[in-house]
């Protein structure tokens, strides 16, 4: 069992380190919501990354469609919009999937 000193030492050595769920290796932020395990190479997308990738592959979409297709909660999407990390673009003639 790790004592307080060991936990504190680990926090200093590895601040804010995200661990891979597959191998517990350290995750490296590659940008745009993409993380890659430095140990096994597995890639993970944050909610932001999932939305970004979906929009890149499918074009403009409404929040409901994005939520359904990515599994990201609509509240998270709304928060990203409020924070200015995402923008909604209105495309004339575009009709989201129903």
């Amino acid at each position: 069992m790790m004592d307080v000193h060991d936990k504190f030492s680990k926090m200093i050595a590895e601040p804010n380190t995200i661990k891979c769920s597959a191998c517990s290796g350290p995750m490296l932020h590659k940008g745009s919501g993409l993380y890659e395990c430095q140990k096994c190479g597995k890639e993970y997308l944050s909610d932001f990354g999932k939305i970004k990738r979906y929009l890149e592959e499918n074009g403009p979409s409404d929040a409901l469609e994005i939520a359904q297709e990515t599994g990201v909660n609509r509240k998270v999407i709304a928060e990203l919009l409020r924070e200015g990390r995402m923008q909604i673009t209105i495309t004339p003639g575009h009709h989201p999937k129903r």
Side-chain angles (χ1 to χ4, degrees), residues 24-61:
S24 297
M27 300 295 289
L28 178 65
H29 183 245
K30 304 288 276 184
S32 295
L34 176 64
Y35 294 83
E36 181 179 43
C37 177
Q38 293 180 305
K39 188 174 177 182
C40 72
K42 185 167 180 159
E43 290 185 342
Y44 296 88
L45 287 170
S46 66
D47 285 345
F48 176 79
K50 291 175 188 176
I51 295 166
K52 182 173 172 46
R53 183 168 287 173
Y54 180 80
L55 293 173
E56 287 172 350
E57 293 173 358
N58 297 283
S61 304

Side-chain angles (χ1 to χ4, degrees), residues 7-21 23-29 35-39 44:
K7 286 181 183 178
F8 184 71
S9 296
K10 185 175 180 178
M11 284 177 13
I12 291 171
E14 301 176 23
N16 301 319
T17 301
I18 300 170
K19 300 289 184 182
C20 175
S21 63
C23 73
S24 297
M27 300 295 289
L28 178 65
H29 183 245
Y35 294 83
E36 181 179 43
C37 177
Q38 293 180 305
K39 188 174 177 182
Y44 296 88

